[in-house]
Amino acid sequence: STITAIRDDIAKLPANNIVVLEKRAELDAVAPDAYWDALNAERLAYLRTGIAPILRVRDAVDFKAMRFETDAVSLGIAILSDNKDMFLALRESIVEQVSELPLTVNLVAKEKDLITDVLSSGWWQNVTEQKQQDLIDRLAPLMKFRTKPRDPLVKLDVKDLVAIKEHVDFGPEHERMTSSAYRERVEGRIRALVDDNPTLQKMLEGGDLSEDEIAELAALLEHDTLQITEDRLRKVYNHKRAHFIQFIKHILGLEQLADWEEAVAKAFAQFITNHTTLTSLQIQFLRPLETFIIQTGRVSRPDLIDAPFTLIHPQGIRGIFKPDEIDEILSFAEALVA
């Protein structure tokens, strides 16, 4: 099925495109069935380095659908390789994307049952190949309908923020609420506490809070009926690295909270712009690194020599960058997640 998908991608390349015409010899080399009947490490490497870059000239590409399909395929790889960290990161990414599908659109509403299942924890207990294929066949074409503001934090109006997560579970009965509704209730609860809570009053007056005061406030909100915790705030505000007190300051209008995904994307775009000598393969490696950091909020040297980076080169980052370049990329990435 993977071979069929790859050959289908190649077949959809625009025949009259100048890049395709220049690379016709390379494309003709992988056209025969015999090439695919005996795939080995050398031929796979050729597909990655010689053919994959040509696919950038595909016409009418739905990038939202492509990203979703890539995550769904990578999910299967994570299961096959028993990579639990990768599985959890991809599960979170897929759930986030599915949660943005608006059921008010008729085509989306037709897949309501599957969407509801994917957003529940039960669906993920046993992810089969058929489930993975259902994601690709039924939901990938709907990703173009995803609703998300491009720049939700230009204004310090918390109501303008739209979270990635569609639902939040909380309370002993595991109550389920849309993220927007949960976020609005959290904001109302915290603002209602200001008049009676000396810690919040001190914060509004510009005073520095002690660790004990922050811990006391965190405990108060965690034991609230809404169970307001740092993890839930990170979900509904789409921010992997912000801390509890930063969310509180943002809600009270004291501090602007930058969107995590947007901040990472801008940082990588600037890094690529500043390094004009990067090859197409090196840029191709940086893209999944950007996605990995957005999804996991972390990065380490061992990560870069493991899947999904070994899909680009068998040796991961070591096969694409020199040692000093690797050190620079790690320093950049570690500073970003810090």
Side-chain angles (χ1 to χ4, degrees):
S1 62
T2 303
I3 289 174
T4 300
I6 294 173
R7 298 186 75 177
D8 183 55
D9 279 341
I10 295 173
K12 289 178 181 177
L13 286 169
N16 295 325
N17 182 276
I18 186 171
V19 175
V20 175
L21 292 173
E22 290 176 349
K23 299 291 184 179
R24 177 49 58 192
E26 288 88 338
L27 293 169
D28 288 344
V30 302
D33 292 340
Y35 185 94
W36 302 90
D37 291 339
L39 282 177
N40 53 31
E42 182 180 353
R43 290 185 175 184
L44 287 172
Y46 181 73
L47 290 175
R48 293 190 187 100
T49 59
I51 303 301
I54 307 175
L55 295 178
R56 295 180 180 181
V57 302
R58 279 270 305 272
D59 286 334
V61 173
D62 181 349
F63 288 102
K64 288 185 177 180
M66 183 181 292
R67 179 197 167 185
F68 183 81
E69 183 172 344
T70 300
D71 282 352
V73 171
S74 298
L75 181 72
I77 295 172
I79 294 171
L80 288 172
S81 59
D82 196 27
N83 189 327
K84 292 181 175 58
D85 288 341
M86 183 180 176
F87 175 84
L88 292 174
L90 288 164
R91 181 180 71 178
E92 182 173 352
S93 176
I94 290 170
V95 169
E96 286 178 349
Q97 292 171 77
V98 172
S99 72
E100 293 175 356
L101 291 173
L103 294 177
T104 52
V105 177
N106 289 336
L107 289 175
V108 176
K110 290 180 180 180
E111 299 293 350
K112 180 180 178 180
D113 290 344
L114 177 58
I115 291 171
T116 302
D117 288 344
V118 174
L119 294 177
S120 68
S121 58
W123 190 90
W124 295 91
Q125 297 304 311
N126 180 28
V127 182
T128 62
E129 185 177 353
Q130 183 57 51
K131 283 185 172 182
Q132 176 194 354
Q133 195 59 46
D134 279 346
L135 288 177
I136 295 172
D137 295 341
R138 297 167 61 182
L139 298 188
L142 303 179
M143 288 298 136
K144 60 186 176 184
F145 298 114
R146 281 170 51 197
T147 55
K148 178 184 175 185
R150 294 187 62 81
D151 191 8
L153 296 176
V154 172
K155 301 177 182 179
L156 261 180
D157 183 356
V158 181
K159 293 182 181 179
D160 287 341
L161 293 173
V162 177
I164 293 294
K165 289 290 183 181
E166 188 65 23
H167 295 88
V168 178
D169 297 320
F170 62 96
E173 298 300 322
H174 301 289
E175 182 180 352
R176 201 164 190 239
M177 184 183 297
T178 64
S179 62
S180 57
Y182 179 82
R183 187 182 63 247
E184 289 174 3
R185 287 182 61 180
V186 166
E187 294 164 2
R189 185 66 53 84
I190 291 174
R191 288 168 182 157
L193 288 173
V194 170
D195 290 340
D196 300 318
N197 188 280
T199 302
L200 293 176
Q201 292 171 5
K202 181 178 179 181
M203 189 183 301
L204 281 172
E205 293 169 357
D208 294 329
L209 301 184
S210 66
E211 292 296 326
D212 288 341
E213 289 174 320
I214 294 174
E216 184 179 349
L217 179 61
L220 172 68
L221 295 178
E222 183 175 1
H223 288 90
D224 187 273
T225 54
L226 291 174
Q227 290 189 329
I228 304 168
T229 63
E230 185 178 85
D231 285 343
R232 289 191 176 91
L233 292 172
R234 285 179 173 179
K235 289 180 180 179
V236 299
Y237 282 104
N238 183 29
H239 206 300
K240 297 280 192 275
R241 303 295 294 180
H243 297 295
F244 168 78
I245 205 65
Q246 290 177 279
F247 292 114
I248 305 304
K249 288 182 177 179
H250 181 79
I251 291 170
L252 296 178
L254 299 174
E255 180 178 295
Q256 182 174 357
L257 187 64
D259 180 84
W260 170 246
E261 184 172 350
E262 181 183 350
V264 173
K266 284 184 177 179
F268 269 85
Q270 189 61 51
F271 184 89
I272 292 172
T273 300
N274 293 341
H275 294 74
T276 56
T277 60
L278 288 172
T279 66
S280 60
L281 182 61
Q282 288 173 332
I283 294 175
Q284 185 183 345
F285 182 92
L286 291 174
R287 292 309 183 192
L289 176 58
E290 174 185 333
T291 302
F292 181 84
I293 290 176
I294 288 174
Q295 292 173 352
T296 66
R298 64 175 177 81
V299 67
S300 66
R301 191 178 293 267
D303 290 330
L304 304 184
I305 55 174
D306 200 353
F309 304 106
T310 48
L311 300 178
I312 301 173
H313 191 284
Q315 294 181 327
I317 194 171
R318 294 174 180 170
I320 300 174
F321 292 94
K322 298 176 182 177
D324 58 332
E325 294 173 332
I326 295 174
D327 290 340
E328 183 182 6
I329 291 170
L330 272 173
S331 296
F332 159 75
E334 288 168 354
L336 188 58
V337 301

